[in-house]
Amino acid sequence: MIRILGTGEQDIAYAIDLLNSAQVVALPTETVYGLAGDATSVPAVSRIFSAKGRPGHNPLIVHVADITMAQSLGLFDDISLALAAAFWPGPLTLVLPLQPNTPIAPQVTPGGRTIALRQPAHPVFQSVLSAFGRPLAAPSANPSGMMSPTTAAHVCAGLGEVIPAVIDGGPARIGVESTVVQVSNGKIYLLRPGGIVRDVIGAAVGMDIVSGAPASEILASPGQLQSHYAPRASVRLNATHADAGEALLAFGPNEPAFTGPKINLSPDADLGQAAANLFAMMRQLDQADIKTIAVMPIPMIGIGEAINDRLKRAASER
Ligand code: TXA
Ligand code: MG
């Protein structure tokens, strides 16, 4: 049975004991909850993959305490360094060439060539990292292919039978995962839209961001496979109304009339609020006895790009 920990000193010490014995612990981040394990331990990393049922070819993001720890693991070019300086700690993941002779467990890095690194902004994750002293691999704390957890209760619902503990740090502030980028040949490629929006990244370094992976990387971000974030119900996008037997996930002030189950991501059409609510509200509607979740259109502005990415994959063929 899973143990739900608080954020006090004793509970953090208990989580660190677990991590030191190659166990996994779910931890809050500012994006979504992560399932953390010692990135340098083969048994710990195996436990992450088996708890999630994650395909072995899908590499993990490694979370670091600071830029010094990051530089011991990945080879930073000037642009990546500028991005880290601008956005860390925060929801930006950088894919970098792997430093030779790192102690990172092989399953964490695809073919041992690159490593995805991020310094999370959540104070609880930060205190665990600095007390633990080693990098932590942490994918989202959900069974593979399902929606990411934004609360400790979501973690318990998905992984409660298979992991020893979760630290409850309250609901995740951002609600969608980190933005994943890779610099190649002087260009910035967007592998996954996320918590830091494209234009903000571009503005920080005076560059445009290229969508997708560099041509040299075949399936550079394997986690970007089509079907993901799948609720039980099917998902219908760009809905302007909802039918009987559906649930309505609304956005903005102009909801269509509907008497079935419905909830609004943001009645004020605030995209940040919609991102923070997205997974929790999808889960809530998924509990209702309905076949389909009808989702109103979400503008492709700012974090709307990440919301639409998650919705598109939630809606895709399973
Ligand atoms: O916000 C987040 O990023 C959360 C929190 C827990 O930090 N983590 C997260 O991890 O979303 P996960 O495993 O659910 O997604 C990691 C994504 C996947 O799409 C994976 O394929 C990609 O990052 N990735 C990991 N290592 C990579 C690498 N070396 N090259 C390219 N993509 C990589
Ligand atoms: Mg995930």
Side-chain angles (χ1 to χ4, degrees):
M1 260 312 276
I2 191 166
R3 189 159 153 189
I4 300 172
L5 303 170
T7 58
E9 229 170 88
Q10 281 192 347
D11 281 2
I12 297 221
Y14 179 74
I16 288 172
D17 284 347
L18 286 171
L19 294 170
N20 272 319
S21 22
Q23 296 295 329
V24 293
V25 183
L27 300 176
T29 88
E30 72 278 28
T31 57
V32 299
Y33 275 68
L35 183 61
D38 183 348
T40 70
S41 158
V42 170
V45 170
S46 305
R47 286 195 171 100
I48 294 176
F49 278 89
S50 62
K52 282 182 61 85
R54 185 177 178 104
H57 59 76
N58 191 1
L60 305 178
I61 296 177
V62 174
H63 297 66
V64 293
D66 50 36
I67 186 78
T68 309
M69 189 185 275
Q71 285 180 308
S72 74
L73 303 174
L75 280 162
F76 279 76
D77 58 275
D78 290 345
I79 299 169
S80 297
L81 203 55
L83 292 176
F87 298 113
W88 283 4
L92 181 73
T93 295
L94 297 167
V95 173
L96 301 164
L98 181 65
Q99 286 275 13
N101 306 319
T102 64
I104 296 294
Q107 245 185 323
V108 172
T109 60
R113 293 182 308 113
T114 59
I115 185 166
L117 295 173
R118 141 168 146 83
Q119 183 190 1
H122 199 289
V124 169
F125 207 120
Q126 287 184 340
S127 54
V128 171
L129 270 169
S130 53
F132 186 60
R134 291 194 294 285
L136 288 170
S140 51
N142 51 278
S144 186
M146 308 305 277
M147 268 178 285
S148 297
T150 54
T151 66
H154 296 164
V155 174
C156 295
L159 298 177
E161 306 294 320
V162 291
I163 65 171
V166 54
I167 295 186
D168 187 350
R173 176 168 57 85
I174 294 173
V176 292
E177 303 85 342
S178 63
T179 304
V180 183
V181 299
Q182 179 171 20
V183 175
S184 176
N185 290 320
K187 293 193 177 122
I188 304 175
Y189 291 86
L190 183 66
L191 306 187
R192 177 177 76 180
I196 294 193
V197 311
R198 175 199 288 269
D199 295 348
V200 173
I201 298 172
V205 285
M207 291 171 67
D208 284 337
I209 311 297
V210 186
S211 293
S216 56
E217 302 289 316
I218 309 151
L219 215 60
S221 216
Q224 292 307 89
L225 296 174
Q226 270 306 315
S227 175
H228 202 18
Y229 309 105
R232 178 193 53 78
S234 62
V235 175
R236 182 165 73 80
L237 300 180
N238 296 318
T240 50
H241 72 283
D243 295 319
E246 292 187 328
L248 177 66
L249 186 60
F251 175 80
N254 304 314
E255 278 182 32
F258 182 57
T259 53
K262 69 172 173 187
I263 192 162
N264 197 314
L265 287 168
S266 172
D268 300 332
D270 175 332
L271 287 166
Q273 182 183 38
N277 284 333
L278 178 67
F279 290 133
M281 289 187 171
M282 293 271 289
R283 281 169 190 267
Q284 198 176 320
L285 292 181
D286 208 23
Q287 316 247 302
D289 182 25
I290 44 104
K291 284 209 184 70
T292 302
I293 301 173
V295 188
M296 284 178 72
I298 310 291
M300 272 298 268
I301 302 164
I303 204 166
E305 185 178 10
I307 298 174
N308 279 302
D309 170 80
R310 307 308 186 263
L311 286 172
K312 194 175 120 207
R313 284 186 289 128
S316 79
E317 206 69 38
R318 318 235 167 110

